[in-house]
Amino acid sequence: MTKLAPEQLEQRKQIKLKLLDGSIGAISVDTCIFSRSGYRLDQGILRRLEQFKKNAFHLIFSEVTIKEVMRHIGAHSEEEKTKFLTGLRGIAKFWNIDNAKQSAIANDLLQETEPKELAKKLVKDFLIRCGAQVIEAQKELDVSELLKCYFETLPPFEKSGDKKAEFPDAIALLSPESWAKKSGTSVLFVTNDKGCKRYCEQSQRLFAIDDLGDALTLIQERDAHRAKMCSAIDQQIASGNHPNLLSLIESTVSENIWSIDWVPD
């Protein structure tokens, strides 16, 4: 992990405790983290999100975040496509490449896929690889809470500047928060946006962390801790130290079977 200030160390300590005791059961990633990673969904730190496929620890995204990522990838792809076609025409002037061959080269490389369609496919494939859940604003957003934050200028809305421009951030926070309340859990929200951090400070369900690598490390430590606990329980059962433990577990599962969030392999 990167070197942290004392208050950040205390914050990470509290997050770690909530991960270990099961209070935090999901992670969400803000648009700014995708931007920091260059929107390369299949490389680097973003690729590590694929570890949540078929994992009991939830990976969730606000619908707004996904649409923003899709929009940015589409815009960047359009820009790069324009540069490529301009460069190809420049090369053709000196290498005497006719128009038909230029079109063939462009079609072969770009596969006649429009940037917006490419962006949709890349994001869709990413969500499938990660086993992520998209939180739809229409189903989860608490509109009354959104309006309260807007008119009372509460985080993530700022007192200065254009508050209307901050609506996407507000929806990206309120949607997963509402989902967390309904799911009886809390969310580790990865963001380096100051307004989003301030909102998380007063939220009972969202806990902000500004580095995705650090967040994933903490979750891996949680998984290792749980694996160690399970191994210790297995050893205790095998040694016969707790003869009634297995029957106690079976009865507890039977009594709570309808409230358990099953994750099939």
Side-chain angles (χ1 to χ4, degrees):
M1 291 188 183
T2 54
K3 188 175 181 180
L4 303 173
E7 62 272 15
Q8 290 177 304
L9 287 171
E10 179 60 27
Q11 178 202 43
R12 300 295 167 88
K13 180 181 177 181
Q14 294 303 316
I15 288 174
K16 184 174 182 177
L17 290 174
K18 289 184 177 296
L19 283 166
L20 293 179
D21 69 15
S23 299
I24 297 178
I27 182 173
S28 189
V29 182
D30 196 11
T31 309
C32 57
I33 304 301
F34 284 91
S35 176
R36 181 194 289 179
S37 301
Y39 299 100
R40 298 306 301 268
L41 305 181
D42 59 346
Q43 296 181 18
I45 193 69
L46 294 177
R47 185 174 184 177
R48 290 177 59 189
L49 292 173
E50 295 176 16
Q51 67 183 274
F52 295 105
K53 179 79 169 181
K54 297 183 179 180
N55 193 315
F57 199 90
H58 299 279
L59 172 61
I60 65 171
F61 294 109
S62 162
E63 176 185 4
V64 167
T65 298
I66 292 302
K67 288 184 176 180
E68 283 189 332
V69 169
M70 206 176 292
R71 178 172 62 84
H72 284 295
I73 291 177
H76 289 314
S77 300
E78 182 70 56
E79 182 181 348
E80 294 303 324
K81 177 183 177 181
T82 300
K83 290 179 182 177
F84 166 70
L85 293 177
T86 301
L88 181 59
R89 286 193 292 271
I91 291 172
K93 291 179 183 178
F94 297 98
W95 271 265
N96 293 321
I97 302 173
D98 59 38
N99 290 337
K101 194 166 185 180
Q102 288 181 56
S103 296
I105 293 171
N107 291 336
D108 182 54
L109 292 175
L110 302 177
Q111 300 177 351
E112 298 185 353
T113 304
E114 291 301 317
K116 287 185 178 179
E117 293 304 313
L118 174 65
K120 287 181 181 179
K121 183 180 186 307
L122 290 175
V123 172
K124 181 181 178 181
D125 290 348
F126 168 73
L127 293 172
I128 292 173
R129 291 196 308 273
C130 297
Q133 179 179 351
V134 178
I135 308 303
E136 298 180 26
Q138 185 177 2
K139 294 180 180 179
E140 298 292 348
L141 181 64
D142 187 338
V143 178
S144 61
E145 185 66 22
L146 175 64
L147 294 176
K148 177 183 176 182
C149 291
Y150 177 74
F151 286 109
E152 297 183 18
T153 317
L154 300 174
F157 293 102
E158 302 285 352
K159 292 183 179 180
S160 60
D162 183 7
K163 289 199 296 181
K164 293 180 181 179
E166 293 158 356
F167 263 100
D169 282 345
I171 296 172
L173 288 162
L174 291 169
S175 295
E177 183 177 47
S178 177
W179 173 89
K181 289 177 182 176
K182 292 179 181 179
S183 303
T185 189
S186 295
V187 177
L188 186 58
F189 193 79
V190 188
T191 182
N192 56 18
D193 181 86
K194 292 180 180 179
C196 292
K197 287 181 181 179
R198 280 196 297 273
Y199 183 86
C200 292
E201 287 173 0
Q202 53 84 47
S203 173
Q204 299 296 313
R205 297 288 180 175
L206 301 181
F207 296 88
I209 186 169
D210 60 9
D211 187 275
L212 180 55
D214 289 352
L216 296 178
T217 297
L218 288 170
I219 293 171
Q220 288 168 351
E221 289 176 359
R222 162 208 180 260
D223 293 343
H225 174 74
R226 292 196 166 196
K228 186 176 180 180
M229 287 181 61
C230 289
S231 177
I233 292 172
D234 286 342
Q235 291 176 13
Q236 290 293 317
I237 294 174
S239 64
N241 292 337
H242 302 281
N244 298 323
L245 180 58
L246 190 57
S247 61
L248 179 61
I249 293 174
E250 290 174 346
S251 63
T252 301
V253 171
S254 178
E255 292 170 4
N256 297 278
I257 192 167
W258 298 113
S259 62
I260 297 175
D261 186 13
W262 298 103
V263 180
D265 290 333

